[in-house]
């Protein structure tokens, strides 16, 4: 498809409904599309339209242009008017869209699609949206519910990087920082595994959202996780972001937990890493905002398994930029790439023996007003429902976790940090 080709003429109808007890039953068991946080949830099914491009490596800017044309051509009937109602699309974008000539590199393409149905709940209100592209009248009735399949567990093993191999690339990263034009680089490692071929992946989404309710629990095109980091949200002209950089494991008891929190809050290494990440977000957002503020000092964000240094950023949107336009200027941030970003991306490609795919890339949704919620795909795994292993009995997946490396980084400590960050997805897979 040519990027300037006419967009599909979508017809969209949203109607308010009584809130169902369980919304995940309306998702496809093996191809779920879900976005959830603190009880608010969007569940989508089917495809009414999808972004395609003549560009070999399209990014969020190309998707944003397609979305504007799609919205302009759509007929929308949405009396509900809540965030996530009406016309919307879900997206999952690669961390690095540049061509990768490594023989084993398999980067999934940008995914950006409009579903056929969306069932949503925000607070005490719920709705269903139906979308057609064939000129027919949408039927805003609840789609057919599908009961949960049997419980399952995953098998997991080393990926392309063993723990020792990860420590080796951390040493190389520290050396690059001490002897080159680089202040920080984020390095990741992977785990490979399988689940039963008929596994109901909604169970994984439910486990993550239940255990980590303050994160963005997501499932988009086989990418499933629970991210604590907001890349950007846009709502009624207000822009917000949450920067996380600097991590320590929770303590085993109250005293140890307090000690861990204090250690992170006073760590020069982690405060420096956090500062790079905050500055990269502020620099990226300033041209698109009329006002922009960030906390003077990071606060301590407590999750079930870790403490994070966190800073919230808020501003007012200038002009007609959409959430997806801001994704384009923000990604990749220093929190998931490094500083300076171009140099860090080169080091990541040189040191990591695999393609990250969509790990640490943007994942989220956008509506017809340009509002939306986008997170960084962390604490996640990429499933490949179309692939089979073990003679067809299993579906493969790859999970990822990373750590920010600066000149004072200790390789073993950074490896242990990735182990802690693997815990949410690995526990849920079990």
């Amino acid at each position: 498809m040519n990027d300037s080709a006419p967009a599909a003429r979508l017809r969209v109808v949203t109607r308010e409904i009584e809130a169902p007890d369980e919304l995940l039953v309306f998702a496809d068991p093996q191809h779920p599309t879900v976005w959830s946080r603190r009880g608010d949830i969007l569940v989508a099914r089917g495809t009414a339209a999808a972004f395609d491009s003549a560009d070999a490596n399209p990014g969020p800017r190309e998707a944003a242009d397609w979305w504007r044309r799609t919205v302009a051509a759509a007929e929308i009937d949405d009396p509900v008017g809540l965030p996530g109602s009406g016309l919307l699309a879900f997206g999952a974008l690669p961390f690095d869209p540049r061509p990768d000539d490594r023989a084993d590199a398999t980067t999934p393409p940008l995914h950006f699609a409009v579903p056929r149905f969306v069932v949503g709940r925000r607070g005490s209100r719920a709705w269903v949206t139906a979308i057609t592209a064939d000129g027919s009248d949408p039927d805003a009735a609840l789609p057919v519910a599908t009961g949960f399949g049997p419980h399952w567990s995953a098998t997991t093993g080393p990926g392309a990087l063993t723990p020792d191999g990860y420590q080796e690339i951390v040493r190389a990263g520290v050396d690059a920082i001490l002897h080159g034009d680089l202040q920080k680089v984020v390095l990741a490692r992977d785990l490979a595994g399988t689940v039963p071929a008929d596994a109901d992946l909604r169970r994984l989404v439910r486990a993550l959202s239940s255990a980590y309710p303050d994160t963005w629990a997501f499932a988009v095109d086989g990418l499933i996780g629970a991210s604590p980091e907001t890349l950007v949200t846009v709502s009624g002209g207000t822009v917000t972001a949450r920067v996380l950089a600097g991590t320590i494991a929770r303590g085993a008891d109250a005293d140890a937990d307090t000690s861990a929190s204090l250690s992170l809050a006073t760590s020069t290494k982690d405060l420096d890493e956090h500062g790079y990440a905050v500055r990269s977000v502020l620099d990226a957002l300033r041209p698109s905002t009329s006002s922009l503020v960030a906390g003077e000092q990071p606060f301590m964000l407590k999750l079930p398994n870790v403490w994070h240094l966190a800073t919230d950023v808020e501003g007012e949107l200038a002009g007609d930029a959409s959430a997806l336009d801001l994704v384009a200027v923000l990604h990749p941030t220093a929190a998931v790439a490094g500083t300076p970003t171009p140099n860090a991306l080169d080091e990541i490609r040189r040191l990591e023996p695999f393609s990250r795919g969509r790990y640490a890339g943007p994942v989220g949704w956008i509506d017809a007003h340009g509002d939306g919620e986008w997170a960084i795909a962390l604490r996640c795994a990429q499933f490949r429902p179309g692939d089979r292993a073990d003679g067809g009995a299993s579906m493969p997946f790859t999970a990822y976790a990373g750590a920010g490396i600066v000149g004072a980084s200790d390789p073993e400590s950074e490896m242990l940090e990735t182990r802690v960050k693997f815990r949410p997805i690995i526990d849920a897979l079990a």
Side-chain angles (χ1 to χ4, degrees):
M1 161 178 161
N2 187 290
D3 291 344
S4 61
R9 297 186 63 85
L10 303 176
R11 302 182 69 184
V12 184
V13 172
T14 297
R15 294 292 182 264
E16 192 155 1
I17 60 173
E18 290 293 325
D21 293 333
E22 171 65 84
L23 269 67
L24 283 176
V25 294
F26 302 111
D28 186 308
Q30 289 204 303
H31 302 271
T33 300
V34 183
W35 185 261
S36 175
R37 186 174 187 236
R38 294 177 181 167
D40 294 341
I41 183 170
L42 298 171
V43 172
R45 190 160 187 161
T47 302
F51 170 65
D52 192 10
S53 176
D55 189 331
N57 297 287
R61 286 185 176 86
E62 291 81 7
D65 290 342
W66 178 84
W67 183 240
R68 286 189 181 90
R69 298 196 305 275
T70 299
V71 170
E75 177 185 325
I76 304 172
D77 176 6
D78 175 23
V80 175
L82 289 172
S85 70
L87 176 62
L88 74 162
F90 293 85
L93 285 61
F95 170 75
D96 186 351
R98 298 176 302 172
D100 194 335
D101 57 4
R102 288 175 294 186
D104 60 345
T106 54
T107 300
L110 177 150
H111 173 84
F112 188 65
V114 181
R116 279 277 292 114
F117 293 97
V118 181
V119 185
R121 182 181 65 216
R122 189 168 287 264
S124 61
R125 298 180 66 187
W127 64 91
V128 59
T129 297
I131 304 170
T132 61
D134 59 3
S136 61
D137 292 330
D139 180 9
L142 280 172
V144 176
T146 305
F148 284 93
H151 288 276
W152 51 265
S153 61
T155 60
T156 307
L161 269 180
T162 64
D164 288 343
Y166 183 72
Q167 292 182 64
E168 289 180 10
I169 71 165
V170 170
R171 293 186 188 95
V174 170
D175 186 66
I177 291 168
L178 297 177
H179 298 95
D181 187 17
L182 192 66
Q183 286 82 53
K184 172 187 173 181
V185 61
V186 180
L187 296 175
R189 69 184 182 99
D190 61 331
L191 295 175
T194 60
V195 298
D198 59 352
D200 188 337
L201 296 178
R202 297 173 303 175
R203 287 195 174 278
L204 176 58
V205 181
R206 187 165 67 173
L208 288 168
S209 61
S210 297
Y212 297 87
D214 291 327
T215 68
W216 301 104
F218 59 88
V220 179
D221 198 39
L223 183 70
I224 301 177
S227 175
E229 187 155 1
T230 306
L231 179 60
V232 67
T233 67
V234 178
S235 180
T238 299
V239 180
T240 58
R242 171 165 287 180
V243 183
L244 303 183
T247 306
I248 195 168
R250 296 285 304 278
D253 53 41
D255 289 342
D257 203 33
T258 299
S259 178
S261 173
L262 181 61
S263 175
L264 180 61
T266 57
S267 164
T268 300
K269 175 260 181 189
D270 289 289
L271 290 168
D272 286 347
E273 178 190 342
H274 189 80
Y276 296 137
V278 173
R279 285 191 291 275
S280 79
V281 169
L282 293 174
D283 290 346
L285 284 179
R286 280 195 183 98
S288 301
T289 53
S290 57
S291 64
L292 194 64
V293 295
E296 292 187 6
Q297 298 293 329
F299 64 91
M300 301 301 298
L301 178 65
K302 181 170 69 172
L303 295 175
N305 62 322
V306 296
W307 289 98
H308 283 298
L309 290 176
T311 295
D312 284 338
V313 176
E314 182 171 334
E316 293 301 314
L317 198 61
D320 60 353
S322 71
L324 203 50
D325 292 316
L326 297 186
V327 167
V329 299
L330 279 168
H331 179 74
T333 68
V336 293
T339 307
T341 299
N343 299 16
L345 289 172
D346 289 341
E347 284 301 309
I348 289 168
R349 181 164 293 197
R350 181 177 73 88
L351 295 174
E352 292 180 358
F354 52 81
S355 165
R356 289 189 179 186
R358 295 167 179 157
Y359 163 70
V363 59
W365 62 268
I366 186 171
D367 70 9
H369 305 290
D371 292 352
E373 298 172 332
W374 291 80
I376 298 174
L378 305 173
R379 318 295 194 268
C380 63
Q382 178 70 58
F383 291 81
R384 301 186 290 279
D387 294 350
R388 290 292 179 264
D390 305 322
S394 302
M395 178 198 315
F397 70 86
T398 307
Y400 302 88
I405 310 304
V406 295
S409 288
D410 171 68
E412 184 176 7
S413 296
E414 303 297 350
M415 185 275 293
L416 293 174
E417 180 177 323
T418 65
R419 186 174 292 172
V420 172
K421 289 177 176 177
F422 270 126
R423 196 179 112 191
I425 190 71
I426 296 303
D427 285 355
L429 285 164

